C-alpha cells in the first residue's frame, strides 16, 4: 500500500511530543515515532518505519524501509536493521550487529551477532523456577 500512494499523497512523519530526535539524525517519509523514543546522533530511519514507546535507536544506526520497532527495544550503536523487519517488545541488539531484510524477532530477543538469513528468531527459552514461600 505504501508504494501505491507514495508520490501521489504526501506522507507526513508523526513524531510524538515526548520523543527525542538528535539534530544529526535523518528521517525518511511516513515515519512514526512514539512517546519517549530516542533517535540518537547520526541514526537514520528510512521511509515507513515505526518506532514505538520507550525504544532507543542509538548512534549511527540504520533502520531500513517498512520496519516496525516495538516497545522498549534498544539498539547499541552502528546497528543495521534490514527492511520489512519486525523487532519484538524489549529486544536488544548489540553494537555493530547487522540484520538482513524480512526478519521477525520474538519479544525479548537478544541479538549479539549478525542475522544473515530472513526468518523468525527468538532467544533461548527461559526456565521457570518455583520460588519457595516464606
Amino acid at each position: 500500500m505504501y508504494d501505491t500512494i507514495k508520490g501521489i499523497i504526501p506522507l507526513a512523519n508523526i513524531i510524538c511530543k515526548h520523543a527525542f530526535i538528535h539534530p544529526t539524525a535523518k528521517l525518511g517519509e511516513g515515519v512514526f515515532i512514539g512517546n519517549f523514543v530516542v533517535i540518537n546522533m547520526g541514526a537514520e530511519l528510512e521511509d515507513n518505519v515505526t518506532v514505538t514507546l520507550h525504544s532507543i535507536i542509538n548512534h549511527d544506526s540504520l533502520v531500513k524501509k517498512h520496519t516496525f520497532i516495538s516497545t522498549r527495544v534498544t539498539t547499541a550503536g552502528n546497528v543495521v536493521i534490514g527492511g520489512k523487519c519486525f523487532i519484538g517488545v524489549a529486544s536488544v541488539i548489540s553494537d555493530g550487529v547487522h540484520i538482513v531484510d524480512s526478519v521477525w524477532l520474538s519479544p525479548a530477543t537478544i541479538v549479539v551477532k549478525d542475522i544473515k538469513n530472513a526468518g523468525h528468531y527468538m532467544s533461548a527459552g527461559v526456565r521457570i523456577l518455583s520460588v519457595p514461600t516464606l
Side-chain angles (χ1 to χ4, degrees):
M1 179 180 247
Y2 175 86
D3 289 332
T4 303
I5 63 173
K6 183 178 171 136
I8 298 169
I9 300 170
L11 298 170
N13 290 339
I14 300 170
I15 302 168
C16 292
K17 71 178 184 176
H18 296 295
F20 170 78
I21 300 169
H22 193 277
T24 62
K26 296 178 184 171
L27 303 179
E29 66 177 8
V31 170
F32 174 83
I33 298 175
N35 276 322
F36 310 108
V37 166
V38 174
I39 308 297
N40 231 329
M41 178 175 55
E44 180 178 353
L45 307 181
E46 291 185 346
D47 297 342
N48 195 34
V49 168
T50 295
V51 184
T52 63
L53 295 167
H54 292 280
S55 290
I56 300 169
I57 307 300
N58 227 325
H59 69 87
D60 304 307
S61 291
L62 170 62
V63 181
K64 294 186 178 180
K65 292 180 179 183
H66 316 302
T67 289
F68 184 90
I69 308 289
S70 211
T71 302
R72 293 200 183 274
V73 168
T74 301
T75 72
N78 301 299
V79 166
V80 176
I81 300 173
K84 299 179 184 175
C85 289
F86 177 90
I87 309 301
V89 171
S91 292
V92 177
I93 304 171
S94 292
D95 191 60
V97 166
H98 288 216
I99 297 173
V100 298
D101 293 348
S102 301
V103 165
W104 179 293
L105 296 183
S106 286
T109 299
I110 299 170
V111 183
V112 296
K113 62 182 182 176
D114 292 352
I115 296 178
K116 298 178 181 180
N117 297 304
H120 189 166
Y121 294 84
M122 65 181 70
S123 291
V126 176
R127 189 169 60 153
I128 305 295
L129 303 174
S130 68
V131 177
T133 56
L134 298 175

